[in-house]
């Protein structure tokens, strides 16, 4: 009997506290709660991992990597679990060869389109080329006037044996346009020659004889023959594959793989399809297009494969609408292939990704962009009865794009799938079929279900952080007053990418939000500012008053993992102190253990089986890669002798398992450790463990950790802090913790510039720069500037329309 729900019993992974939960099938289920409350432990480490494990249990042993064993999650049972797919924002499995086009399969369909409907040109002489079937060759020649005398010729290599030709039964060849008898020739000839297969006068009765002659000519001419009049004029050449006889260039048969930079047939021979050489220098052979020049000479309505791969998706969608051919054969190809491409393109555009291109490498995308690209790919697959898990799909989305995302998620649900979404966005939360809130706090203080039901039920009957969010009862937990700019940095005439000769004024001494839909030009503008700031060019023609900034600090959400052994303690710079503490205890001195003994980078104290990582990494083909605990050290990272050394009753592995909040109490008398951990607690990251891998952090956690390190050493006024969406990954109650720190920095005499979509952040800004009005070529302009109230009154601003609801009501 098929169960109507997923039943989770006794989930205790990480900080989860024996959670029992029923999740109905075919619903949109939102899991929310403060940062560190256990959302990922429940969804990713329990639900998704158990789905992976059960899938691999069904596979024959010879299909699994050698020695693989996926450990059970800390859960008593999960029943009613359908096939599980995770649409995460991780790019760990992606290489530069993985692009938006390959992930969504759009590039596969384009390759079919080019191979079956493209116009082929010689890359050297630019003549149009084509191939013929033998039947097409017959029809082409029969179009000549009746009674035309023609010769059917087969081109031969220069070193062909005349004696062999006589033995084959042939009597004539053509040399230099003159027909000569084989009897009059010696055994070797110089120069190009053609074998005379037949001579005939065209008529309605000559079709059979002509077809036989062409078949024989193609056999001796290796797929090529020529048709000429008896006097040697008006040669016509025909080939069963693509070749330019004028330039002696042979293209072969254009299969779909010919148009792939991941195939030896299509990849540029110099950069092997990467588009770049060592040290990221653009390949001079293909100019970054990744493909051979033979491939680039094939056109579809005047566009090459590279042209279509590099234009943004909005432009590509418009171009595909206009493609039309007169020939019935090519019409059929277009009718079959283009609707499949457009279906995928329209989903990508609906998800706010129209500004991207098919050729964009997946590792260069943000986590939110990667997740939405994978969502589009799954939507196109048409799967039903599947459990999809998503981790904050709204990251990087403008409020107007969140509306489209919600409609998309509901369509996936209505197809017969179940969606479990980790999310903090109020609009997504409000439209959930079932809302589950974890808490009440973070780390050891979380891990419980504190509210479950419809959003309306939780809003009306609970007093949890999410209930307060829905009631709009969460108040700014710090005194707030708006400031006037103390001046402006002027960026003049900026026309990079889609920016259209704009004059941007970056306010100083205030909290400024740069807003606009995805692809409006926000990152381009900020990147240009950062680029100038790094080189500190004096008297820059496009820049005015930049000297007012003494220092610039960029705090982005990119991963901070320097290696597989990079962890919170090393990033904060406290691991050296902790190792020194352990090396100074009596047990270490007696055994001669120095601080190096407790390093994970050197041999001696670490587990050599996993080289101190605590895990074994297994690359999977069908599913996400796996990191399973090392069988030797059981994930402790150190060998037995090292773990025998204890400080205050704890060995070093147990210390690394402490959360930052626990470590504050444990090291309370050691200032050099506590002073840096204090900032983690203040910014809402006190639930992170000291030994937690930095690679496991979300983009929002990485950004806040970078901010913590800057706060721990920042003393200079006049600094410009630049952040990219500091709201990502944060419940509103956590977001206020970050905003409190940013406003404190502002009040200390610094300038804050953030790219942001969250309306609560934008509402509190002193100043807004809104770009748009659309994405890609439809963006790149400054639509509005000023206070939130001023921008809310701007009719042409998409941001203003949504801001109006929170600042003018």
């Amino acid at each position: 009997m098929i169960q109507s729900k997923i039943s989770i019993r006794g989930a205790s992974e990480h900080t989860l506290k024996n959670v029992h939960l029923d999740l109905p099938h075919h619903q949109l289920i939102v899991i929310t709660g403060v940062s560190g409350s256990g959302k990922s432990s429940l969804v990713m480490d329990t639900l998704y991992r158990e789905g992976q494990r059960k899938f691999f249990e069904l596979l024959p042993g010879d299909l699994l990597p050698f020695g693989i064993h996926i450990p059970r999650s800390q859960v008593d049972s999960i029943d009613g679990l359908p096939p599980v797919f995770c649409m995460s924002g991780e790019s760990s499995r992606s290489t530069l060869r993985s692009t938006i086009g390959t992930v969504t399969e759009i590039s596969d369909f384009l390759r079919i389109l080019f191979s079956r409907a493209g116009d082929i040109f010689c890359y050297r002489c630019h003549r149009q080329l084509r191939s013929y079937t033998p039947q097409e060759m017959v029809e082409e020649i029969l179009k000549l006037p009746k009674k035309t005398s023609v010769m059917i010729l087969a081109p031969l290599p220069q070193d062909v044996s005349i004696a062999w030709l006589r033995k084959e039964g042939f009597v004539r060849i053509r040399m230099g346009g003159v027909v000569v008898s084989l009897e009059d020739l010696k055994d070797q000839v110089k120069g190009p020659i053609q074998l005379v297969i037949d001579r005939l006068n065209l008529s309605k009765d000559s079709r059979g004889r002509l077809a036989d002659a062409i078949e024989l000519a193609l056999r001796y001419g290796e797929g090529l023959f020529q048709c000429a009049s008896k006097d040697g004029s008006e040669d016509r050449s025909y080939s069963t594959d693509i070749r330019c006889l004028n330039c002696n260039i042979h293209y072969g048969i254009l299969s779909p793989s010919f148009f792939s930079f991941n195939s030896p047939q299509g990849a540029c021979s110099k950069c092997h399809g990467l588009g770049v050489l060592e040290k990221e220098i653009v390949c001079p052979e293909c100019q970054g297009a990744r493909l051979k020049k033979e491939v680039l000479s094939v056109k579809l309505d005047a566009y090459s494969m590279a042209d279509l791969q590099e234009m943004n998706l909005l432009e590509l969608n418009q171009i595909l609408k206009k493609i039309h051919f007169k020939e019935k054969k090519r019409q059929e190809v277009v009718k079959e292939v283009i609707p499949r491409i457009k279906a995928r393109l329209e989903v990508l555009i609906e998800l706010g990704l129209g500004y991207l291109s098919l050729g964009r490498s997946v590792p260069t995308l943000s986590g939110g962009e990667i997740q939405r690209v994978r969502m589009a790919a799954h939507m196109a697959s048409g799967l039903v009865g599947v459990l999809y898990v998503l981790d904050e799909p709204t990251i990087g989305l403008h409020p107007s794009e969140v509306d489209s995302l919600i409609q998309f998620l509901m369509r996936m649900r209505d197809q017969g799938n179940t969606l479990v979404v980790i999310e903090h966005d109020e609009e997504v939360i409000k439209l959930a079929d079932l809302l589950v809130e974890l808490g009440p706090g973070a780390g050891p203080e979380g891990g419980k279900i504190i509210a479950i039901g419809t959003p309306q039920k939780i809003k009306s009957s609970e007093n949890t952080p999410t209930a307060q969010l829905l009631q709009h009862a969460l108040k700014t937990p710090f005194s707030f007053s708006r400031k006037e700019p103390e001046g402006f940095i002027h960026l003049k005439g900026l026309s990079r990418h889609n920016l259209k000769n704009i004059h941007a004024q970056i306010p100083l001494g205030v909290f400024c939000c740069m807003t606009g839909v995805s692809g409006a030009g926000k990152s381009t503008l900020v990147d240009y500012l950062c680029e100038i700031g790094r080189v500190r060019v004096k008297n820059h023609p496009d820049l005015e008053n930049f000297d007012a900034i003494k220092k610039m600090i960029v705090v982005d959400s990119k991963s901070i993992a320097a290696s597989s052994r990079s962890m919170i303690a090393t990033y904060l710079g406290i691991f050296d102190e902790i190792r020194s503490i352990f090396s100074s205890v009596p047990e270490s001195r007696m055994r001669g253990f120095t601080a190096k003994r407790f390093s994970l980078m050197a041999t001696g104290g670490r587990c050599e089986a996993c080289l101190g990582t605590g895990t074994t990494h297994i690359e999977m083909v069908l599913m996400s890669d796996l990191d399973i605990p090392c069988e030797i050290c059981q994930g402790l990272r150190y060998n037995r002798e090292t773990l025998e050394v204890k400080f205050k009753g704890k060995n070093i592995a147990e210390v690394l398992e402490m959360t930052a909040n626990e470590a504050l109490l444990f090291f309370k008398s050691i200032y050099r450790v506590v002073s840096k951990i204090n900032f983690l607690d203040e910014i809402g990251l006190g639930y992170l463990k000291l030994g937690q891998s930095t690679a496991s952090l979300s983009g929002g956690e990485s950004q806040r950790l970078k901010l913590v390190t800057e706060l721990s050493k920042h003393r200079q006024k006049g600094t410009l802090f630049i952040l990219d969406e500091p709201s990502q990954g944060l419940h509103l109650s956590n977001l206020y913790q970050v905003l409190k720190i940013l406003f404190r920095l502002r009040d200390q005499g610094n300038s804050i510039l953030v790219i942001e979509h969250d309306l609560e952040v934008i509402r509190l800004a002193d100043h807004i720069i809104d770009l748009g009005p659309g994405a890609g070529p439809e963006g790149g302009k400054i639509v509005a500037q000023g206070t939130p109230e001023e921008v809310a009154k701007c009719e042409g601003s998409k941001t203003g329309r949504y801001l109006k609801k929170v600042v003018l009501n």
Side-chain angles (χ1 to χ4, degrees), residues 452-610:
I452 183 169
T454 64
Q456 188 58 44
K457 174 190 172 186
I458 291 176
K459 176 183 177 181
S460 60
S461 62
E462 302 289 349
N463 190 32
T464 64
T466 301
Q468 293 173 8
L469 168 68
L470 294 171
Q471 298 161 6
H472 296 158
L474 280 171
K475 303 298 181 183
T476 310
F478 54 90
S479 57
F480 166 77
S481 59
R482 190 159 289 158
K483 285 185 64 177
E484 291 285 335
E486 298 171 0
F488 294 89
I489 299 170
H490 295 269
L491 282 170
K492 305 174 184 176
L494 185 54
S495 298
R496 180 176 293 190
H497 299 318
N498 68 329
L499 295 181
K500 298 176 174 62
N501 194 34
I502 67 171
H503 179 180
Q505 301 179 74
I506 311 298
L508 298 172
V510 297
F511 183 92
C512 175
C513 279
M514 191 168 291
T515 61
V517 298
S518 303
K522 305 181 296 297
S523 294
T524 300
L525 179 54
V526 170
D527 287 347
Y528 184 69
L529 180 64
C530 295
E531 185 180 303
I532 296 174
R534 280 193 294 269
V535 295
R536 306 294 292 191
V537 178
K538 292 186 177 181
N539 302 317
H540 195 289
D542 300 335
L543 190 64
E544 183 180 305
N545 201 31
F546 192 74
D547 290 341
I549 294 296
K550 297 178 182 177
K551 185 179 181 182
M552 186 167 65
I553 295 174
V554 179
V555 185
D556 58 32
S557 57
K558 293 178 182 176
S559 174
I560 55 178
S563 74
S564 57
R565 287 175 291 274
S566 178
M567 54 187 176
I568 302 297
T570 54
Y571 190 80
L572 289 176
I574 61 174
F575 192 46
D576 288 346
E577 184 64 30
I578 292 173
R579 291 192 297 114
S580 178
I581 291 169
F582 271 89
S583 68
S584 65
V585 302
E587 183 71 17
S588 287
R589 292 199 300 269
M590 182 179 69
R591 297 189 181 196
F593 290 173
T594 64
K596 186 178 179 181
R597 176 80 191 194
F598 301 93
S599 171
L600 294 172
M601 302 296 292
T603 58
R606 71 182 183 184
C607 169
E608 290 304 317
C610 63

Side-chain angles (χ1 to χ4, degrees), residues 343-360:
R344 287 162 169 78
L345 283 177
E346 286 165 3
V347 172
L348 288 165
I349 292 168
E350 181 184 357
L351 291 173
L353 299 174
Y355 59 94
L356 297 175
S357 64
L358 293 180
R360 179 79 173 267

Side-chain angles (χ1 to χ4, degrees), residues 267-285:
C268 168
S269 56
K270 192 170 187 66
C271 66
H272 306 292
L274 289 175
V276 294
L277 302 179
E278 292 182 9
K279 299 180 181 178
E280 298 299 305
I281 297 172
V282 174
C283 174
E285 181 76 16

Side-chain angles (χ1 to χ4, degrees), residues 21 43 101 176 196 280 344-345 379 471 602 652 744:
L21 180 62
V43 176
V196 178
E280 298 299 305
R344 287 162 169 78
L345 283 177
M379 183 68 177
Q471 298 161 6
I652 193 163
R744 188 173 73 200

